[in-house]
Amino acid sequence: MPTVRDVTIGLLRDLGMTTVFGNPGSTELPMFRNFPRDFRYIMGLQESVVLGMADGYAQATGRAAVVNLHSSAGTGHALGNLFTAFKNQTPLVVTAGQQARSILPYEPFLFAERASEFPRPFVKWSCEPARAEDVPAALHRAWLVAMEPPCGPTFVSIPIDDWDRDCEPFTPRTVHAARMPDMRAMAACAQALAGARNPAIVVGAGVARDGAWGQVVELAQRHNAAVWVAPMSARCSFPEDHPLFAGFLTAGREAIVATLAPHDFVLALGGPMNLYHVEGHGPHMPPGCDMWLIGDNHVHAAWAPAGTAIIAQCDKALDLLLQAPPPAVRPVPQLRTLPPRLDGSAMTDAYVLQQIAALRSADSVIVEEAPSSRGPMHDRLPIVRKDTFYTTASGGLGHGLPAAVGIAMARPADKVIAVLGDGSAMYAIQGLHAAVQHGAAVSFIILKNNRYEALHHFGRHFGIQELVGTQFPELDFCLLAQGHGVAARRATDATSLNEALRWSFAADGPTLVEAVVL
């Protein structure tokens, strides 16, 4: 009779999960006995790096990735990026080892107490199977739940002695999960949109996840509607060089209301629009503005403070809106004015981002985790192609660097550019090791301002003039890169920056540029 391991490996192969991301401990090793040659194991030097790589890989492929962690300690290390994967709506099947069932009553060394509860609430479903022979079924259910919209991570704890137990063959089932919109609600939305005087569209990450980039462009052009990006959106959902692109909403109540005040109709697609980062007061929408939200996440619909929500995948809903009768003729709105180009006399983050935009290929992939430079990035580094921008939806740090490695593994023909703050990079610097091991074509661009600038910004917001423990001028990212086997260059002025960026963007493997900014 086959073992649990035999049946599980066959299941993972059937599901297309032959790439395993992990940092195993003692309780995971039996899973890898006689590891098949058609599988690939991606080792991360720390569990948060493992989760981040798997997140990027799963987002880039659109398929759930499998992650292998170590009991409580390893799962604990990974929780920050598990939170990010949950907010990113990334499909992951996370497994963790558990001590042998026979010694669990004695609280053994390196066991997990209440293992299935530990990763909650940042997983859609979790379990520790009651019997060894239930492991394949649990993993199959975890995969189905992870892939069902809204996608997200799931978790299975597996005792060490389960892998060698006998197991009956397991046949995976097919579940067709379609999230079609309510037809009457969609008709009402289409009628309200067609009758609006000055409509606006707000796009979130769900537009990208649902592959609806082209449909949003068509809908916006049909209605001459201004298109805004939802606050803190983690994906690119509309070309930022399009005449109808209006800009980015700020994550504050008063700011959102002020920005949308000219509009009498707002259609928010694929994510929360009223996402706040600071406390605010007053209304959530401008008076008299008809607000509609369409997305696959019922949680977003439940807590949205205003408007009418339709639970549906964006591509399916947009198909219906595009089939509606044509609207009245509207004038083309006058929208953004781009800032003047910088001459490089000052080595600022804005100048670095401007030069990245000028020197990169338009279809290269940007992975961003530089929170204090998000504003200059919006002004200077436009995203103009679909599926070429990724960032963290949670705001947690340590995701961007390993996610860039995972995306490069999933898209080996594309150049990936990771734009990282120096503080952010230090959360997951070990990810450079995996980039070298697997030849990932990532250009790591470190914006080095020697401090946590985002905290200084918020310090000023709270009236705090001096912050303790937020500066680190002694970090040397070129030496850190070289210690992991990554070639690196430092840029301190316009000339050295342009030379370093050209060198990095032309490289076939991983490189790092330390851009020292004011």
Side-chain angles (χ1 to χ4, degrees):
M1 183 177 289
T3 64
V4 169
R5 179 175 48 256
D6 297 331
V7 176
T8 297
I9 291 296
L11 172 65
L12 295 177
R13 186 179 287 115
D14 290 342
L15 297 176
M17 293 199 295
T18 56
T19 297
V20 180
F21 295 85
N23 182 298
S26 55
T27 56
E28 291 74 49
L29 290 181
M31 176 184 179
F32 303 109
R33 183 180 288 122
N34 300 321
F35 200 58
R37 293 185 180 276
D38 61 324
F39 276 58
R40 178 171 62 159
Y41 188 85
I42 309 298
M43 174 72 167
L45 296 185
Q46 208 265 5
E47 288 86 353
S48 66
V49 171
V50 169
L51 231 299
M53 289 193 297
D55 185 326
Y57 185 85
Q59 287 198 69
T61 60
R63 301 278 294 177
V66 61
V67 180
N68 184 247
L69 304 176
H70 180 46
S71 64
S72 290
T75 303
H77 289 160
L79 279 181
N81 272 339
L82 186 64
F83 170 56
T84 293
F86 184 73
K87 288 296 186 179
N88 284 350
Q89 292 187 206
T90 302
L92 296 175
V93 176
V94 181
T95 65
Q98 173 64 293
Q99 272 289 8
R101 292 176 187 270
S102 62
I103 57 174
L104 285 178
Y106 312 113
E107 297 198 5
F109 189 64
L110 289 177
F111 91 118
E113 183 176 2
R114 293 188 288 183
S116 65
E117 298 176 37
F118 187 33
R120 293 181 182 273
F122 305 134
V123 292
K124 293 178 65 180
W125 179 78
S126 67
C127 83
E128 184 174 277
R131 305 178 305 162
E133 54 265 45
D134 295 330
V135 168
L139 289 170
H140 184 235
R141 179 176 175 182
W143 183 83
L144 289 171
V145 174
M147 288 294 293
E148 181 185 13
C151 295
T154 56
F155 179 85
V156 181
S157 171
I158 306 172
I160 188 173
D161 53 339
D162 282 6
W163 294 106
D164 293 310
R165 300 286 180 87
D166 291 343
C167 186
E168 294 286 345
F170 179 83
T171 302
R173 298 176 299 111
T174 299
V175 176
H176 297 282
R179 192 64 62 86
M180 293 299 296
D182 181 277
M183 299 300 289
R184 287 184 295 179
M186 288 303 307
C189 180
Q191 183 178 8
L193 173 58
R197 171 185 51 82
N198 184 16
I201 299 171
V202 178
V203 292
V207 171
R209 288 193 298 267
D210 294 340
W213 169 287
Q215 293 159 292
V216 172
V217 172
E218 185 178 352
L219 186 72
Q221 292 174 168
R222 185 179 188 185
H223 290 272
N224 277 337
V227 179
W228 298 87
V229 175
M232 307 296 184
S233 179
R235 297 283 297 273
C236 53
S237 299
F238 193 82
E240 294 171 19
D241 59 349
H242 194 284
L244 291 172
F245 180 66
F248 301 83
L249 293 183
T250 301
R253 186 188 300 194
E254 294 91 344
I256 290 174
V257 171
T259 299
L260 298 179
H263 302 286
D264 61 335
F265 177 95
V266 173
L267 174 62
L269 294 168
M273 191 194 80
N274 295 94
L275 185 65
Y276 307 139
H277 195 191
V278 294
E279 185 180 15
H281 304 280
H284 296 278
M285 288 295 296
C289 183
D290 189 12
M291 161 72 183
W292 291 73
L293 170 67
I294 299 176
D296 66 3
N297 196 322
H298 59 279
V299 176
H300 295 165
W303 65 251
T308 302
I310 301 174
I311 308 299
Q313 290 180 239
C314 291
D315 55 336
K316 296 180 173 64
L318 285 165
D319 279 343
L320 295 174
L321 290 178
L322 289 169
Q323 294 169 16
V329 177
R330 300 187 185 95
V332 177
Q334 299 299 311
L335 299 173
R336 301 182 84 199
T337 300
L338 295 178
R341 286 188 61 80
L342 301 172
D343 62 7
S345 57
M347 186 70 167
T348 62
D349 58 351
Y351 180 73
V352 174
L353 293 161
Q354 172 188 284
Q355 296 310 105
I356 292 173
L359 298 174
R360 78 179 182 109
S361 169
D363 56 1
S364 57
V365 180
I366 300 292
V367 183
E368 178 268 332
E369 193 178 290
S372 62
S373 298
R374 185 70 65 86
M377 186 191 72
H378 290 163
D379 292 335
R380 306 286 176 177
L381 180 52
I383 306 300
V384 298
R385 305 277 178 88
K386 67 178 182 178
D387 297 326
T388 58
F389 177 75
Y390 299 83
T391 189
T392 167
S394 72
L397 301 183
H399 169 266
L401 192 155
V405 178
I407 291 168
M409 291 178 185
R411 298 171 60 168
D414 297 328
K415 167 61 73 172
V416 177
I417 302 170
V419 180
L420 308 168
D422 45 4
S424 298
M426 287 306 298
Y427 273 72
I429 199 70
Q430 306 96 320
L432 296 177
H433 173 266
V436 173
Q437 294 299 307
H438 298 278
V442 182
S443 293
F444 298 99
I445 313 299
I446 310 295
L447 300 174
K448 185 183 177 183
N449 57 19
N450 300 321
R451 60 191 178 272
Y452 280 124
E453 178 58 34
L455 291 182
H456 285 258
H457 172 80
F458 270 95
R460 292 188 290 271
H461 174 80
F462 293 122
I464 303 172
Q465 300 305 315
E466 184 176 348
L467 294 176
V468 298
T470 58
Q471 301 193 39
F472 30 83
E474 65 282 353
L475 290 177
D476 188 323
F477 285 92
C478 290
L479 289 178
L480 287 167
Q482 292 163 13
H484 288 85
V486 176
R489 293 188 182 183
R490 178 175 292 109
T492 58
D493 56 26
T495 300
S496 59
L497 174 68
N498 291 336
E499 291 174 353
L501 291 179
R502 290 191 179 97
W503 161 76
S504 179
F505 295 166
D508 294 331
T511 56
L512 184 143
V513 174
E514 181 187 78
V516 182
V517 299
L518 299 175

